[in-house]
Amino acid sequence: MGQLHFMADVHGQQLQQARQLFFTRGERPEGLVDALIVRSWERCQRFGLSESHAIAGRESLDRLALKTEQERNRYLLLQGRPIMEHVYEQIRESGSMVILADANGLLLETVGDPDFVDRAGRIALSAGASWDENQRGTNAIGTALAEEAPTAVLGAEHFFENNAFLTCCASPIFGPDGRLIGVLDISGDYRSQQRHTLGLVRLSSLLVEKRLFECLHAGDILVCFHGRADYLGSPKEGLAAVSPDGQILAMNRAGLDILGIRQVDAVRRDFSLVFENSLATLIDRLRHKPQAIGELSVNGKVLSLQLRGQLPPASMAGRVYDEPPAERSPRPAAATPTPAITLDSLNTGDERLQAAIDRARRILGRDIPILIQGESGAGKELFAKGFHNSGPRQAGPFVALNCASIPENLIESELFGYAGGAFTGARKEGAPGKIQQAHGGTLFLDEIGDMPLNLQARLLRVLQERCVTPLGSTRAIQVDISLVCATHRRLREEVARGAFREDLYYRLNGLCVTLPALRERTDLRQLVGKLAAAEAGQSAPVQFSEGALLAIEKYAWPGNIRQLFNVIRVAIALLDNGTTLIDESHLPEELFEAAPPAPASATGSLEAIGRDAAWRTLESAGGNISAAARQLGISRNTLYRKLGKL
């Protein structure tokens, strides 16, 4: 213990020097403090925070608002609570607490020693408070979210001086789809810091991720793998959820690291392409031996594997099993599958939308590209899917790529594919791009206006020659695709200012349709009913009170259909058991707040309209980027782009 106190004293002295250099002299404290902490301090200064004057930030949520957020994060809490309790048992009576926060730094639940919990409450380290970095300065929760990495913030490493009594270790939690969904934190008194706390919280966050993955994919085939057999069943094992027909539905971060691939190289790919072996053979070998461990050689690595989850019956037809199904007596009819989205199903009575649908229907089956314009969230991808499912290519693939959501250095390989060894980290056998994957079907390029200029030339050549050459290859591959593009930008204006190629614009603009913003539509009640029915599924149909419908009709909906769907989804989740009526109490507060009238779409560009809506939402969220993005139903990066900050 004496050694720990000595190390803490040395660390404290170095921090004093580091703070003196950084905050007083404006110099980087090289070698005195971790680079991650310095990056956070620099961000805090850009936020306009002062190290000596901690601001209260937004007040903690009241009980009802906190309950709403807890309900929104119910799956995270359901799987995280047992882990929190287990962790607390390991650190009980150490003057510490365990915290679970959401992806915006909002503290959802805490458990800890009463004396420290009381002290922490004085600085709002309690459920309902936000510890996002832009409000609370450098802290383990907010900084772990900003860095998306396990983070320790010890004593005076905290940006605000009055938080220097804390030692905090946090680790981000990623959902089964790879998105950041929360963070687990252990906080305590700086004088009683423990060496292994960061390791404990990191392992615990992996356990939460594992529970979430297994819960979401309990009905799928789970392929569990690792380079060492004794790691199977541990938080570090790779997990792949696979459908009965052999398609990989999801893969956890550990699995991606073990295979050395990216998420896009695994999800929606056939098992045999990723694991270089037949899923049918693996199932046949292991299905009758519970807990049996098999081996596969993947990319030169020998992996130990186990099968868990819901294995398909041995007689099931499809790509997994080659033998025909045995004769069986008739079975009860299966549940009706969700009908495919078509142009007809999208028509709920709005005249402008119906006009767009009628125009699109006239070019079905013709080799004419379609360009869909409209604000973000207005339903452009739904329209593209409806167009695909209404034409002769409906049996072919529908492949989508959002040109604004993928880093510029990755778009080329995503779109055109790559040959083996084309770049560092590439799979040795290469990978087909979105264009090749869409052969025989439809390629949907969302936010085409954000495509880099150098790739626009390559795309134009593909459209003209009907063949694609993967990155690092000299072999051209013939492709047959129907092209649908979408953008919230005015491409004609982008051409005029040199941001979009004129020749590509005329190649894409075969038929242009513009989707109305949600605030302009006349079919809002019908749309609400349709979205609610789709979300409720097989459960009892939900209804809306007249007051709830009026509130929905009066709201400006800056996030359009995407935002409306999120509101309906949360409202249904908040219904008590046996209740089917949604009233005003189930709707978010922002629907009832006074807001300036929405700008008419006839004035200014779609980009300007979207930017105005983004700024209004940010203002109503008190400047909190994360909260504003959640209200709009978009990512923080997309919101930054709309605000013109990227």
Side-chain angles (χ1 to χ4, degrees), residues 625-643:
I625 286 285
S626 299
R630 187 171 65 245
Q631 289 181 30
L632 290 170
I634 58 179
S635 69
R636 298 204 307 184
N637 283 344
T638 300
L639 179 55
Y640 271 118
R641 276 194 294 271
K642 284 185 176 296
L643 296 172

Side-chain angles (χ1 to χ4, degrees), residues 11 57 76 95 166 186 214 246 256 269 279 312 331 403 438 458 507 526 531 580 641:
H11 181 251
L76 175 61
L166 291 171
I186 299 176
E214 291 173 337
L256 297 172
R269 299 289 174 87
L279 178 62
R331 297 181 301 173
C403 301
R458 286 199 64 184
R507 185 67 179 80
Q526 295 93 317
L531 293 175
T580 60
R641 276 194 294 271

Side-chain angles (χ1 to χ4, degrees), residues 69-333:
E69 292 304 314
Q70 288 173 333
E71 181 62 31
R72 193 195 305 271
N73 291 275
R74 62 189 182 280
Y75 294 116
L76 175 61
L77 281 166
L78 183 65
Q79 304 303 326
R81 279 178 177 133
I83 305 300
M84 290 179 67
E85 294 291 345
H86 177 73
V87 171
Y88 178 55
E89 288 302 318
Q90 314 305 310
I91 63 171
R92 185 186 292 273
E93 298 182 2
S94 64
S96 304
M97 64 190 300
V98 185
I99 301 167
L100 186 64
D102 71 4
N104 301 308
L106 177 71
L107 309 196
L108 298 171
E109 196 154 303
T110 67
V111 58
D113 295 335
D115 55 342
F116 183 77
V117 169
D118 180 63
R119 189 178 180 191
R122 299 172 196 167
I123 57 167
L125 192 61
S126 55
S130 172
W131 277 70
D132 195 8
E133 211 179 44
N134 64 6
Q135 293 186 45
R136 305 289 177 179
T138 304
N139 71 91
I141 293 171
T143 305
L145 290 171
E147 297 280 341
E148 296 192 2
T151 300
V153 180
L154 312 178
E157 289 178 350
H158 287 83
F159 186 83
F160 291 136
E161 293 174 351
N162 67 336
N163 290 342
F165 74 93
L166 291 171
T167 177
C168 306
C169 296
S171 183
I173 298 170
F174 294 87
D177 59 356
R179 290 186 304 112
L180 181 62
I181 61 171
V183 63
L184 189 68
D185 170 88
I186 299 176
S187 292
D189 191 295
Y190 175 58
R191 294 167 298 180
S192 57
Q193 60 178 289
Q194 302 294 319
R195 287 183 182 179
H196 307 298
T197 304
L198 185 60
L200 175 61
V201 77
R202 168 65 179 141
L203 186 64
S204 301
S205 69
L206 290 176
L207 279 170
V208 177
E209 290 180 5
K210 178 177 167 65
R211 289 173 63 103
L212 284 165
F213 192 100
E214 291 173 337
C215 177
L216 180 64
H217 294 288
D220 302 315
I221 303 167
L222 288 181
V223 180
C224 316
F225 57 96
H226 198 278
R228 291 175 51 179
D230 54 337
Y231 272 56
L232 292 175
S234 77
K236 295 186 178 181
E237 70 177 353
L239 292 172
V242 188
S243 66
D245 67 350
Q247 186 180 69
I248 295 178
L249 305 173
M251 186 176 293
N252 70 349
R253 288 190 298 146
L256 297 172
D257 291 341
I258 291 168
L259 296 178
I261 60 176
R262 302 170 302 168
Q263 182 113 358
V264 71
D265 296 323
V267 178
R268 298 181 184 172
R269 299 289 174 87
D270 193 89
F271 179 88
S272 60
L273 292 177
V274 176
F275 284 88
E276 303 174 7
N277 287 269
S278 164
L279 178 62
T281 303
L282 181 65
I283 291 178
D284 287 341
R285 196 189 328 159
L286 300 178
R287 68 160 42 261
H288 299 302
K289 301 175 182 177
Q291 303 302 314
I293 297 176
E295 286 189 349
L296 289 182
S297 178
V298 182
N299 200 17
K301 298 179 183 177
V302 176
L303 299 180
S304 298
L305 299 97
Q306 273 185 335
L307 293 179
R308 301 181 205 138
Q310 190 67 43
L311 299 185
S315 58
M316 180 174 178
R319 290 205 306 268
V320 173
Y321 290 98
D322 299 325
E323 69 271 15
E327 291 289 333
R328 286 177 291 180
S329 57
R331 297 181 301 173

